[in-house]
Amino acid sequence: MATDVLTGSDDPGRTAPAPTPRRTRRRGGIRSAEATAGWIFVVPVVVILGLFMLLPILMALWVSLTDWNGQGSPFTGKVPLVGLDNYTDLFTRDGLARQNFMTSIRNNLYYVAIVVPAQTVLALFLALVVNNRMLRGRSFFRTAFYFPSVTSSVAISVVFLFIFANSGAVNRLLELFGIDGPQWFADSRGVLHILFGAVGVDTPPASLTGDGPFGLPWWEWLSGPSVAMCSIIILVVWTTSGTFMLMFLAALQNVPESLEEAGRLDGATRWQRLRYLTLPSIRPTLFLVLALGVIGSWQVFDQIYVMSQGDPAKTTLTPAYLSYRTAFRDFEYGSGAAISFVLFLIIIVLTLGQRWLLRERDSGRRIRRPRRRGRETGRRS
C-alpha cells in the first residue's frame, strides 16, 4: 500500500513505469559535416600554396643567410653561412653593394612618387568620363582606355624604345615647336638637376656634397628622376591606368543616384559633389588602387629589363632589377635574396601605412551619452 501511495496508482497489481532514457545530443551533426567538407575542398589548395609559394619563400630566406654562388645545392654543409652579413652590407658597410642598393632605392622613390599619384588621378578621371551617361560610344572608350593594360608590357616597351629614340616620333614632334629633344635613354641627368642648372646652379653647394643617408650624398638624393626614367614613367602610367579605371568605374556605378541628386538639390558644385560625396563613397576602392599601385611600382622589372637595364649611369636601376642582376649575373644569390626580402618589408610597411592613413577616422570615436537631469537631481537629493 505504501508503494501504491508513493507511485500514485490505485491498482495494487500495477507496477511503476520505467524511467525514459534522456536523449543525448549527437556531437557534430550538420556543422561538423560542413566543416569536414570545407577542409576537403581547402586542403588541396593549402598544400599547393605551401609547396609552391611558402616553401620557396623559406628556401629563399635561407639562401639570403648564406654565400651561395649558384653551384650545387644551397642546403649542404659546403655552403658558407654568413648570417645577416648580406643585410648589413646593404645598410651599414661602405661598398659597392650599399651604393647600388641606395641608388636603386632613390630611383624607385622618385618613380613611386610620380607613378602612383599620376596613374590614380588619370584612372579616376577616365572612370568619371566613361561613367557619364551623356557620353556617346561609352563601350568604345572603355575598350580603348583598357586596351594598353592587356597588351604585353614587353611589346609596348619595345614600341616605346622606337618612339623615344633620338630620331623617334617624340623628338620629331618637339622639333615642330623648335625644341631639341634629349637623348632619352642616354641622358642620366636628373630632372631636378636640370631645373637647378636652368636657374644657374650648375655645381652642388658644399653643404650637399657630404655623405647623406646610407652613404649617398644629399646632392644625389635631390637629383630627381633621370630623363630615361621619365620615359619609363610615361609608359607605365599609360599602361596601368586602364586597369585602375575599371576598378573606379565599378565603384562609381555602385554609388546611389539619390546621393548625387541630394547634392544637386543642396546647391553643391561638381567639385564639391566629387570631394564630399563621391570620393568618400569609393574610399575602399581608392585604398585598393593606391595599394596595388604602390606594390606594382616597387616591383617594376620588365620595363627596366627591356628598355634600359639600369642604365644610363644606374639612374633607372630599381631594387627588383638589382636583385635579379646580383643573383643571376653576378652569381651572388645570397645578396640578391636579401635585396628581395628588404623590398618585401618595404612594400608591407608602406601598405600598412596607407591603410592607416585611409582608415575611417570617425569609426573609433565613442559617443558619450548625456546624463539625464532627473537622475542627477535625484542623486543630489
mmCIF file with all atom_site columns, all heavy atoms in Angstrom, residues 3 21 40 82 89 92 103 112 131 136 158 173 188-189 214 231 238 241 246 259 286 311 318 352 367 380:
data_model
loop_
_atom_site.group_PDB
_atom_site.id
_atom_site.type_symbol
_atom_site.label_atom_id
_atom_site.label_alt_id
_atom_site.label_comp_id
_atom_site.label_asym_id
_atom_site.label_entity_id
_atom_site.label_seq_id
_atom_site.pdbx_PDB_ins_code
_atom_site.Cartn_x
_atom_site.Cartn_y
_atom_site.Cartn_z
_atom_site.occupancy
_atom_site.B_iso_or_equiv
_atom_site.pdbx_formal_charge
_atom_site.auth_seq_id
_atom_site.auth_comp_id
_atom_site.auth_asym_id
_atom_site.auth_atom_id
_atom_site.pdbx_PDB_model_num
ATOM 1   N N   . THR A 1 3   ? 3.664  1.470  -1.260  1.00 0.00 ? 3   THR A N   1
ATOM 2   C CA  . THR A 1 3   ? 4.229  1.617  -2.606  1.00 0.00 ? 3   THR A CA  1
ATOM 3   C C   . THR A 1 3   ? 3.234  2.202  -3.546  1.00 0.00 ? 3   THR A C   1
ATOM 4   O O   . THR A 1 3   ? 3.563  3.027  -4.417  1.00 0.00 ? 3   THR A O   1
ATOM 5   C CB  . THR A 1 3   ? 4.719  0.258  -3.122  1.00 0.00 ? 3   THR A CB  1
ATOM 6   O OG1 . THR A 1 3   ? 5.590  -0.321 -2.176  1.00 0.00 ? 3   THR A OG1 1
ATOM 7   C CG2 . THR A 1 3   ? 5.413  0.395  -4.471  1.00 0.00 ? 3   THR A CG2 1
ATOM 8   N N   . PRO A 1 21  ? 14.752 7.045  -20.925 1.00 0.00 ? 21  PRO A N   1
ATOM 9   C CA  . PRO A 1 21  ? 16.165 7.485  -21.012 1.00 0.00 ? 21  PRO A CA  1
ATOM 10  C C   . PRO A 1 21  ? 16.258 8.872  -21.638 1.00 0.00 ? 21  PRO A C   1
ATOM 11  O O   . PRO A 1 21  ? 15.483 9.244  -22.519 1.00 0.00 ? 21  PRO A O   1
ATOM 12  C CB  . PRO A 1 21  ? 16.808 6.421  -21.914 1.00 0.00 ? 21  PRO A CB  1
ATOM 13  C CG  . PRO A 1 21  ? 15.671 5.886  -22.739 1.00 0.00 ? 21  PRO A CG  1
ATOM 14  C CD  . PRO A 1 21  ? 14.454 5.933  -21.852 1.00 0.00 ? 21  PRO A CD  1
ATOM 15  N N   . ILE A 1 40  ? 37.996 19.446 -46.845 1.00 0.00 ? 40  ILE A N   1
ATOM 16  C CA  . ILE A 1 40  ? 38.301 18.613 -48.009 1.00 0.00 ? 40  ILE A CA  1
ATOM 17  C C   . ILE A 1 40  ? 38.565 19.478 -49.235 1.00 0.00 ? 40  ILE A C   1
ATOM 18  O O   . ILE A 1 40  ? 39.459 19.205 -50.044 1.00 0.00 ? 40  ILE A O   1
ATOM 19  C CB  . ILE A 1 40  ? 37.148 17.616 -48.266 1.00 0.00 ? 40  ILE A CB  1
ATOM 20  C CG1 . ILE A 1 40  ? 37.092 16.575 -47.141 1.00 0.00 ? 40  ILE A CG1 1
ATOM 21  C CG2 . ILE A 1 40  ? 37.311 16.940 -49.618 1.00 0.00 ? 40  ILE A CG2 1
ATOM 22  C CD1 . ILE A 1 40  ? 35.918 15.632 -47.244 1.00 0.00 ? 40  ILE A CD1 1
ATOM 23  N N   . VAL A 1 82  ? 76.652 32.958 -43.616 1.00 0.00 ? 82  VAL A N   1
ATOM 24  C CA  . VAL A 1 82  ? 77.155 34.287 -43.262 1.00 0.00 ? 82  VAL A CA  1
ATOM 25  C C   . VAL A 1 82  ? 76.206 35.040 -42.342 1.00 0.00 ? 82  VAL A C   1
ATOM 26  O O   . VAL A 1 82  ? 76.510 36.161 -41.930 1.00 0.00 ? 82  VAL A O   1
ATOM 27  C CB  . VAL A 1 82  ? 77.428 35.117 -44.533 1.00 0.00 ? 82  VAL A CB  1
ATOM 28  C CG1 . VAL A 1 82  ? 78.515 34.476 -45.371 1.00 0.00 ? 82  VAL A CG1 1
ATOM 29  C CG2 . VAL A 1 82  ? 76.154 35.302 -45.351 1.00 0.00 ? 82  VAL A CG2 1
ATOM 30  N N   . ASP A 1 89  ? 75.475 44.499 -45.351 1.00 0.00 ? 89  ASP A N   1
ATOM 31  C CA  . ASP A 1 89  ? 76.184 45.085 -46.487 1.00 0.00 ? 89  ASP A CA  1
ATOM 32  C C   . ASP A 1 89  ? 75.333 46.117 -47.219 1.00 0.00 ? 89  ASP A C   1
ATOM 33  O O   . ASP A 1 89  ? 75.869 47.032 -47.856 1.00 0.00 ? 89  ASP A O   1
ATOM 34  C CB  . ASP A 1 89  ? 76.609 43.986 -47.472 1.00 0.00 ? 89  ASP A CB  1
ATOM 35  C CG  . ASP A 1 89  ? 77.722 43.121 -46.910 1.00 0.00 ? 89  ASP A CG  1
ATOM 36  O OD1 . ASP A 1 89  ? 78.379 43.555 -45.941 1.00 0.00 ? 89  ASP A OD1 1
ATOM 37  O OD2 . ASP A 1 89  ? 77.912 41.999 -47.428 1.00 0.00 ? 89  ASP A OD2 1
ATOM 38  N N   . THR A 1 92  ? 74.896 49.236 -43.706 1.00 0.00 ? 92  THR A N   1
ATOM 39  C CA  . THR A 1 92  ? 75.895 49.770 -42.780 1.00 0.00 ? 92  THR A CA  1
ATOM 40  C C   . THR A 1 92  ? 77.314 49.757 -43.313 1.00 0.00 ? 92  THR A C   1
ATOM 41  O O   . THR A 1 92  ? 78.120 50.599 -42.900 1.00 0.00 ? 92  THR A O   1
ATOM 42  C CB  . THR A 1 92  ? 75.850 48.980 -41.457 1.00 0.00 ? 92  THR A CB  1
ATOM 43  O OG1 . THR A 1 92  ? 76.125 47.595 -41.722 1.00 0.00 ? 92  THR A OG1 1
ATOM 44  C CG2 . THR A 1 92  ? 74.481 49.115 -40.804 1.00 0.00 ? 92  THR A CG2 1
ATOM 45  N N   . THR A 1 103 ? 71.204 53.653 -54.433 1.00 0.00 ? 103 THR A N   1
ATOM 46  C CA  . THR A 1 103 ? 70.868 54.292 -55.707 1.00 0.00 ? 103 THR A CA  1
ATOM 47  C C   . THR A 1 103 ? 69.559 53.751 -56.258 1.00 0.00 ? 103 THR A C   1
ATOM 48  O O   . THR A 1 103 ? 68.716 54.516 -56.762 1.00 0.00 ? 103 THR A O   1
ATOM 49  C CB  . THR A 1 103 ? 72.000 54.061 -56.722 1.00 0.00 ? 103 THR A CB  1
ATOM 50  O OG1 . THR A 1 103 ? 73.222 54.590 -56.201 1.00 0.00 ? 103 THR A OG1 1
ATOM 51  C CG2 . THR A 1 103 ? 71.696 54.734 -58.048 1.00 0.00 ? 103 THR A CG2 1
ATOM 52  N N   . VAL A 1 112 ? 57.963 55.918 -57.615 1.00 0.00 ? 112 VAL A N   1
ATOM 53  C CA  . VAL A 1 112 ? 56.691 55.723 -56.914 1.00 0.00 ? 112 VAL A CA  1
ATOM 54  C C   . VAL A 1 112 ? 55.991 57.059 -56.683 1.00 0.00 ? 112 VAL A C   1
ATOM 55  O O   . VAL A 1 112 ? 54.768 57.166 -56.826 1.00 0.00 ? 112 VAL A O   1
ATOM 56  C CB  . VAL A 1 112 ? 56.938 54.986 -55.582 1.00 0.00 ? 112 VAL A CB  1
ATOM 57  C CG1 . VAL A 1 112 ? 55.663 54.930 -54.754 1.00 0.00 ? 112 VAL A CG1 1
ATOM 58  C CG2 . VAL A 1 112 ? 57.450 53.586 -55.836 1.00 0.00 ? 112 VAL A CG2 1
ATOM 59  N N   . ASN A 1 131 ? 31.828 57.045 -67.226 1.00 0.00 ? 131 ASN A N   1
ATOM 60  C CA  . ASN A 1 131 ? 30.635 56.815 -66.410 1.00 0.00 ? 131 ASN A CA  1
ATOM 61  C C   . ASN A 1 131 ? 29.532 57.831 -66.709 1.00 0.00 ? 131 ASN A C   1
ATOM 62  O O   . ASN A 1 131 ? 28.408 57.678 -66.221 1.00 0.00 ? 131 ASN A O   1
ATOM 63  C CB  . ASN A 1 131 ? 30.999 56.874 -64.922 1.00 0.00 ? 131 ASN A CB  1
ATOM 64  C CG  . ASN A 1 131 ? 29.898 56.349 -64.032 1.00 0.00 ? 131 ASN A CG  1
ATOM 65  O OD1 . ASN A 1 131 ? 29.308 55.305 -64.308 1.00 0.00 ? 131 ASN A OD1 1
ATOM 66  N ND2 . ASN A 1 131 ? 29.605 57.065 -62.950 1.00 0.00 ? 131 ASN A ND2 1
ATOM 67  N N   . ARG A 1 136 ? 28.456 59.474 -75.703 1.00 0.00 ? 136 ARG A N   1
ATOM 68  C CA  . ARG A 1 136 ? 28.131 58.500 -76.734 1.00 0.00 ? 136 ARG A CA  1
ATOM 69  C C   . ARG A 1 136 ? 29.340 57.605 -76.989 1.00 0.00 ? 136 ARG A C   1
ATOM 70  O O   . ARG A 1 136 ? 30.477 58.039 -76.956 1.00 0.00 ? 136 ARG A O   1
ATOM 71  C CB  . ARG A 1 136 ? 27.739 59.206 -78.027 1.00 0.00 ? 136 ARG A CB  1
ATOM 72  C CG  . ARG A 1 136 ? 26.454 60.031 -77.919 1.00 0.00 ? 136 ARG A CG  1
ATOM 73  C CD  . ARG A 1 136 ? 26.117 60.656 -79.257 1.00 0.00 ? 136 ARG A CD  1
ATOM 74  N NE  . ARG A 1 136 ? 24.874 61.425 -79.172 1.00 0.00 ? 136 ARG A NE  1
ATOM 75  C CZ  . ARG A 1 136 ? 24.338 62.092 -80.204 1.00 0.00 ? 136 ARG A CZ  1
ATOM 76  N NH1 . ARG A 1 136 ? 24.945 62.068 -81.387 1.00 0.00 ? 136 ARG A NH1 1
ATOM 77  N NH2 . ARG A 1 136 ? 23.212 62.767 -80.029 1.00 0.00 ? 136 ARG A NH2 1
ATOM 78  N N   . VAL A 1 158 ? 59.124 47.787 -76.234 1.00 0.00 ? 158 VAL A N   1
ATOM 79  C CA  . VAL A 1 158 ? 59.880 47.854 -77.480 1.00 0.00 ? 158 VAL A CA  1
ATOM 80  C C   . VAL A 1 158 ? 59.356 48.979 -78.363 1.00 0.00 ? 158 VAL A C   1
ATOM 81  O O   . VAL A 1 158 ? 60.135 49.716 -79.005 1.00 0.00 ? 158 VAL A O   1
ATOM 82  C CB  . VAL A 1 158 ? 59.829 46.500 -78.209 1.00 0.00 ? 158 VAL A CB  1
ATOM 83  C CG1 . VAL A 1 158 ? 60.476 46.598 -79.582 1.00 0.00 ? 158 VAL A CG1 1
ATOM 84  C CG2 . VAL A 1 158 ? 60.510 45.424 -77.380 1.00 0.00 ? 158 VAL A CG2 1
ATOM 85  N N   . LEU A 1 173 ? 58.215 65.449 -83.008 1.00 0.00 ? 173 LEU A N   1
ATOM 86  C CA  . LEU A 1 173 ? 57.130 66.337 -82.603 1.00 0.00 ? 173 LEU A CA  1
ATOM 87  C C   . LEU A 1 173 ? 57.667 67.569 -81.891 1.00 0.00 ? 173 LEU A C   1
ATOM 88  O O   . LEU A 1 173 ? 57.155 68.684 -82.076 1.00 0.00 ? 173 LEU A O   1
ATOM 89  C CB  . LEU A 1 173 ? 56.156 65.576 -81.697 1.00 0.00 ? 173 LEU A CB  1
ATOM 90  C CG  . LEU A 1 173 ? 54.913 66.333 -81.203 1.00 0.00 ? 173 LEU A CG  1
ATOM 91  C CD1 . LEU A 1 173 ? 54.045 66.760 -82.381 1.00 0.00 ? 173 LEU A CD1 1
ATOM 92  C CD2 . LEU A 1 173 ? 54.114 65.472 -80.236 1.00 0.00 ? 173 LEU A CD2 1
ATOM 93  N N   . SER A 1 188 ? 71.548 60.800 -68.372 1.00 0.00 ? 188 SER A N   1
ATOM 94  C CA  . SER A 1 188 ? 71.490 60.397 -66.966 1.00 0.00 ? 188 SER A CA  1
ATOM 95  C C   . SER A 1 188 ? 71.228 61.562 -66.019 1.00 0.00 ? 188 SER A C   1
ATOM 96  O O   . SER A 1 188 ? 71.219 61.364 -64.795 1.00 0.00 ? 188 SER A O   1
ATOM 97  C CB  . SER A 1 188 ? 72.807 59.722 -66.568 1.00 0.00 ? 188 SER A CB  1
ATOM 98  O OG  . SER A 1 188 ? 73.898 60.626 -66.730 1.00 0.00 ? 188 SER A OG  1
ATOM 99  N N   . ARG A 1 189 ? 71.020 62.750 -66.545 1.00 0.00 ? 189 ARG A N   1
ATOM 100 C CA  . ARG A 1 189 ? 70.783 63.910 -65.683 1.00 0.00 ? 189 ARG A CA  1
ATOM 101 C C   . ARG A 1 189 ? 69.422 63.806 -65.003 1.00 0.00 ? 189 ARG A C   1
ATOM 102 O O   . ARG A 1 189 ? 68.435 63.393 -65.611 1.00 0.00 ? 189 ARG A O   1
ATOM 103 C CB  . ARG A 1 189 ? 70.853 65.203 -66.488 1.00 0.00 ? 189 ARG A CB  1
ATOM 104 C CG  . ARG A 1 189 ? 72.197 65.516 -67.107 1.00 0.00 ? 189 ARG A CG  1
ATOM 105 C CD  . ARG A 1 189 ? 72.097 66.765 -67.949 1.00 0.00 ? 189 ARG A CD  1
ATOM 106 N NE  . ARG A 1 189 ? 71.119 66.600 -69.028 1.00 0.00 ? 189 ARG A NE  1
ATOM 107 C CZ  . ARG A 1 189 ? 70.657 67.600 -69.774 1.00 0.00 ? 189 ARG A CZ  1
ATOM 108 N NH1 . ARG A 1 189 ? 71.065 68.840 -69.529 1.00 0.00 ? 189 ARG A NH1 1
ATOM 109 N NH2 . ARG A 1 189 ? 69.786 67.362 -70.736 1.00 0.00 ? 189 ARG A NH2 1
ATOM 110 N N   . PHE A 1 214 ? 72.716 56.758 -45.512 1.00 0.00 ? 214 PHE A N   1
ATOM 111 C CA  . PHE A 1 214 ? 73.234 55.483 -46.004 1.00 0.00 ? 214 PHE A CA  1
ATOM 112 C C   . PHE A 1 214 ? 74.354 55.679 -47.021 1.00 0.00 ? 214 PHE A C   1
ATOM 113 O O   . PHE A 1 214 ? 74.489 54.908 -47.976 1.00 0.00 ? 214 PHE A O   1
ATOM 114 C CB  . PHE A 1 214 ? 72.109 54.651 -46.621 1.00 0.00 ? 214 PHE A CB  1
ATOM 115 C CG  . PHE A 1 214 ? 70.982 54.378 -45.670 1.00 0.00 ? 214 PHE A CG  1
ATOM 116 C CD1 . PHE A 1 214 ? 69.783 55.061 -45.780 1.00 0.00 ? 214 PHE A CD1 1
ATOM 117 C CD2 . PHE A 1 214 ? 71.130 53.450 -44.645 1.00 0.00 ? 214 PHE A CD2 1
ATOM 118 C CE1 . PHE A 1 214 ? 68.737 54.817 -44.906 1.00 0.00 ? 214 PHE A CE1 1
ATOM 119 C CE2 . PHE A 1 214 ? 70.093 53.204 -43.772 1.00 0.00 ? 214 PHE A CE2 1
ATOM 120 C CZ  . PHE A 1 214 ? 68.893 53.887 -43.897 1.00 0.00 ? 214 PHE A CZ  1
ATOM 121 N N   . SER A 1 231 ? 60.841 58.681 -69.237 1.00 0.00 ? 231 SER A N   1
ATOM 122 C CA  . SER A 1 231 ? 60.212 57.980 -70.355 1.00 0.00 ? 231 SER A CA  1
ATOM 123 C C   . SER A 1 231 ? 59.572 56.673 -69.896 1.00 0.00 ? 231 SER A C   1
ATOM 124 O O   . SER A 1 231 ? 58.481 56.303 -70.361 1.00 0.00 ? 231 SER A O   1
ATOM 125 C CB  . SER A 1 231 ? 61.244 57.712 -71.450 1.00 0.00 ? 231 SER A CB  1
ATOM 126 O OG  . SER A 1 231 ? 62.295 56.903 -70.954 1.00 0.00 ? 231 SER A OG  1
ATOM 127 N N   . TRP A 1 238 ? 50.675 55.128 -68.667 1.00 0.00 ? 238 TRP A N   1
ATOM 128 C CA  . TRP A 1 238 ? 49.766 54.887 -69.784 1.00 0.00 ? 238 TRP A CA  1
ATOM 129 C C   . TRP A 1 238 ? 49.234 53.459 -69.786 1.00 0.00 ? 238 TRP A C   1
ATOM 130 O O   . TRP A 1 238 ? 48.075 53.226 -70.136 1.00 0.00 ? 238 TRP A O   1
ATOM 131 C CB  . TRP A 1 238 ? 50.487 55.194 -71.096 1.00 0.00 ? 238 TRP A CB  1
ATOM 132 C CG  . TRP A 1 238 ? 49.649 54.982 -72.312 1.00 0.00 ? 238 TRP A CG  1
ATOM 133 C CD1 . TRP A 1 238 ? 48.528 55.673 -72.684 1.00 0.00 ? 238 TRP A CD1 1
ATOM 134 C CD2 . TRP A 1 238 ? 49.857 53.994 -73.328 1.00 0.00 ? 238 TRP A CD2 1
ATOM 135 N NE1 . TRP A 1 238 ? 48.037 55.183 -73.862 1.00 0.00 ? 238 TRP A NE1 1
ATOM 136 C CE2 . TRP A 1 238 ? 48.837 54.153 -74.287 1.00 0.00 ? 238 TRP A CE2 1
ATOM 137 C CE3 . TRP A 1 238 ? 50.833 53.014 -73.524 1.00 0.00 ? 238 TRP A CE3 1
ATOM 138 C CZ2 . TRP A 1 238 ? 48.743 53.355 -75.418 1.00 0.00 ? 238 TRP A CZ2 1
ATOM 139 C CZ3 . TRP A 1 238 ? 50.745 52.218 -74.658 1.00 0.00 ? 238 TRP A CZ3 1
ATOM 140 C CH2 . TRP A 1 238 ? 49.715 52.393 -75.587 1.00 0.00 ? 238 TRP A CH2 1
ATOM 141 N N   . SER A 1 241 ? 46.871 52.671 -66.114 1.00 0.00 ? 241 SER A N   1
ATOM 142 C CA  . SER A 1 241 ? 45.683 53.449 -65.753 1.00 0.00 ? 241 SER A CA  1
ATOM 143 C C   . SER A 1 241 ? 44.405 52.778 -66.223 1.00 0.00 ? 241 SER A C   1
ATOM 144 O O   . SER A 1 241 ? 43.336 52.984 -65.628 1.00 0.00 ? 241 SER A O   1
ATOM 145 C CB  . SER A 1 241 ? 45.778 54.862 -66.341 1.00 0.00 ? 241 SER A CB  1
ATOM 146 O OG  . SER A 1 241 ? 45.922 54.807 -67.755 1.00 0.00 ? 241 SER A OG  1
ATOM 147 N N   . LEU A 1 246 ? 38.874 50.617 -64.590 1.00 0.00 ? 246 LEU A N   1
ATOM 148 C CA  . LEU A 1 246 ? 37.766 49.681 -64.429 1.00 0.00 ? 246 LEU A CA  1
ATOM 149 C C   . LEU A 1 246 ? 37.381 49.527 -62.960 1.00 0.00 ? 246 LEU A C   1
ATOM 150 O O   . LEU A 1 246 ? 36.195 49.392 -62.633 1.00 0.00 ? 246 LEU A O   1
ATOM 151 C CB  . LEU A 1 246 ? 38.145 48.325 -65.022 1.00 0.00 ? 246 LEU A CB  1
ATOM 152 C CG  . LEU A 1 246 ? 38.255 48.248 -66.540 1.00 0.00 ? 246 LEU A CG  1
ATOM 153 C CD1 . LEU A 1 246 ? 38.545 46.819 -66.973 1.00 0.00 ? 246 LEU A CD1 1
ATOM 154 C CD2 . LEU A 1 246 ? 36.984 48.749 -67.208 1.00 0.00 ? 246 LEU A CD2 1
ATOM 155 N N   . LEU A 1 259 ? 22.147 59.995 -53.810 1.00 0.00 ? 259 LEU A N   1
ATOM 156 C CA  . LEU A 1 259 ? 23.182 60.800 -53.159 1.00 0.00 ? 259 LEU A CA  1
ATOM 157 C C   . LEU A 1 259 ? 23.615 61.951 -54.053 1.00 0.00 ? 259 LEU A C   1
ATOM 158 O O   . LEU A 1 259 ? 23.787 63.086 -53.600 1.00 0.00 ? 259 LEU A O   1
ATOM 159 C CB  . LEU A 1 259 ? 24.371 59.899 -52.812 1.00 0.00 ? 259 LEU A CB  1
ATOM 160 C CG  . LEU A 1 259 ? 25.471 60.504 -51.932 1.00 0.00 ? 259 LEU A CG  1
ATOM 161 C CD1 . LEU A 1 259 ? 24.926 60.832 -50.553 1.00 0.00 ? 259 LEU A CD1 1
ATOM 162 C CD2 . LEU A 1 259 ? 26.645 59.545 -51.815 1.00 0.00 ? 259 LEU A CD2 1
ATOM 163 N N   . LEU A 1 286 ? 39.520 53.270 -53.555 1.00 0.00 ? 286 LEU A N   1
ATOM 164 C CA  . LEU A 1 286 ? 40.684 54.156 -53.607 1.00 0.00 ? 286 LEU A CA  1
ATOM 165 C C   . LEU A 1 286 ? 41.868 53.553 -52.871 1.00 0.00 ? 286 LEU A C   1
ATOM 166 O O   . LEU A 1 286 ? 43.010 53.615 -53.356 1.00 0.00 ? 286 LEU A O   1
ATOM 167 C CB  . LEU A 1 286 ? 40.314 55.520 -53.010 1.00 0.00 ? 286 LEU A CB  1
ATOM 168 C CG  . LEU A 1 286 ? 41.410 56.584 -52.997 1.00 0.00 ? 286 LEU A CG  1
ATOM 169 C CD1 . LEU A 1 286 ? 41.840 56.919 -54.414 1.00 0.00 ? 286 LEU A CD1 1
ATOM 170 C CD2 . LEU A 1 286 ? 40.929 57.843 -52.281 1.00 0.00 ? 286 LEU A CD2 1
ATOM 171 N N   . ASP A 1 311 ? 70.671 51.357 -66.916 1.00 0.00 ? 311 ASP A N   1
ATOM 172 C CA  . ASP A 1 311 ? 71.445 52.461 -67.480 1.00 0.00 ? 311 ASP A CA  1
ATOM 173 C C   . ASP A 1 311 ? 70.515 53.625 -67.843 1.00 0.00 ? 311 ASP A C   1
ATOM 174 O O   . ASP A 1 311 ? 69.292 53.458 -67.880 1.00 0.00 ? 311 ASP A O   1
ATOM 175 C CB  . ASP A 1 311 ? 72.208 51.975 -68.717 1.00 0.00 ? 311 ASP A CB  1
ATOM 176 C CG  . ASP A 1 311 ? 73.258 50.932 -68.349 1.00 0.00 ? 311 ASP A CG  1
ATOM 177 O OD1 . ASP A 1 311 ? 73.813 51.050 -67.240 1.00 0.00 ? 311 ASP A OD1 1
ATOM 178 O OD2 . ASP A 1 311 ? 73.494 50.009 -69.150 1.00 0.00 ? 311 ASP A OD2 1
ATOM 179 N N   . THR A 1 318 ? 66.481 49.733 -60.261 1.00 0.00 ? 318 THR A N   1
ATOM 180 C CA  . THR A 1 318 ? 65.465 49.555 -59.232 1.00 0.00 ? 318 THR A CA  1
ATOM 181 C C   . THR A 1 318 ? 65.831 48.354 -58.363 1.00 0.00 ? 318 THR A C   1
ATOM 182 O O   . THR A 1 318 ? 66.610 47.483 -58.790 1.00 0.00 ? 318 THR A O   1
ATOM 183 C CB  . THR A 1 318 ? 64.082 49.340 -59.863 1.00 0.00 ? 318 THR A CB  1
ATOM 184 O OG1 . THR A 1 318 ? 64.117 48.175 -60.710 1.00 0.00 ? 318 THR A OG1 1
ATOM 185 C CG2 . THR A 1 318 ? 63.670 50.553 -60.693 1.00 0.00 ? 318 THR A CG2 1
ATOM 186 N N   . LEU A 1 352 ? 50.747 49.013 -45.047 1.00 0.00 ? 352 LEU A N   1
ATOM 187 C CA  . LEU A 1 352 ? 50.123 49.239 -43.742 1.00 0.00 ? 352 LEU A CA  1
ATOM 188 C C   . LEU A 1 352 ? 49.986 50.730 -43.435 1.00 0.00 ? 352 LEU A C   1
ATOM 189 O O   . LEU A 1 352 ? 48.996 51.166 -42.849 1.00 0.00 ? 352 LEU A O   1
ATOM 190 C CB  . LEU A 1 352 ? 50.939 48.547 -42.650 1.00 0.00 ? 352 LEU A CB  1
ATOM 191 C CG  . LEU A 1 352 ? 50.968 47.016 -42.704 1.00 0.00 ? 352 LEU A CG  1
ATOM 192 C CD1 . LEU A 1 352 ? 51.863 46.465 -41.600 1.00 0.00 ? 352 LEU A CD1 1
ATOM 193 C CD2 . LEU A 1 352 ? 49.562 46.442 -42.591 1.00 0.00 ? 352 LEU A CD2 1
ATOM 194 N N   . ILE A 1 367 ? 30.746 57.621 -28.638 1.00 0.00 ? 367 ILE A N   1
ATOM 195 C CA  . ILE A 1 367 ? 29.748 58.663 -28.443 1.00 0.00 ? 367 ILE A CA  1
ATOM 196 C C   . ILE A 1 367 ? 29.335 58.688 -26.975 1.00 0.00 ? 367 ILE A C   1
ATOM 197 O O   . ILE A 1 367 ? 28.900 57.675 -26.420 1.00 0.00 ? 367 ILE A O   1
ATOM 198 C CB  . ILE A 1 367 ? 28.517 58.414 -29.329 1.00 0.00 ? 367 ILE A CB  1
ATOM 199 C CG1 . ILE A 1 367 ? 28.956 58.378 -30.796 1.00 0.00 ? 367 ILE A CG1 1
ATOM 200 C CG2 . ILE A 1 367 ? 27.475 59.483 -29.105 1.00 0.00 ? 367 ILE A CG2 1
ATOM 201 C CD1 . ILE A 1 367 ? 27.834 58.046 -31.750 1.00 0.00 ? 367 ILE A CD1 1
ATOM 202 N N   . ARG A 1 380 ? 21.574 64.079 -6.112  1.00 0.00 ? 380 ARG A N   1
ATOM 203 C CA  . ARG A 1 380 ? 21.926 65.192 -5.237  1.00 0.00 ? 380 ARG A CA  1
ATOM 204 C C   . ARG A 1 380 ? 21.023 65.241 -4.002  1.00 0.00 ? 380 ARG A C   1
ATOM 205 O O   . ARG A 1 380 ? 21.449 65.552 -2.916  1.00 0.00 ? 380 ARG A O   1
ATOM 206 C CB  . ARG A 1 380 ? 21.823 66.502 -6.003  1.00 0.00 ? 380 ARG A CB  1
ATOM 207 C CG  . ARG A 1 380 ? 22.898 66.615 -7.093  1.00 0.00 ? 380 ARG A CG  1
ATOM 208 C CD  . ARG A 1 380 ? 22.705 67.908 -7.878  1.00 0.00 ? 380 ARG A CD  1
ATOM 209 N NE  . ARG A 1 380 ? 23.695 68.028 -8.924  1.00 0.00 ? 380 ARG A NE  1
ATOM 210 C CZ  . ARG A 1 380 ? 23.725 69.029 -9.808  1.00 0.00 ? 380 ARG A CZ  1
ATOM 211 N NH1 . ARG A 1 380 ? 22.785 69.995 -9.746  1.00 0.00 ? 380 ARG A NH1 1
ATOM 212 N NH2 . ARG A 1 380 ? 24.646 69.045 -10.748 1.00 0.00 ? 380 ARG A NH2 1
#
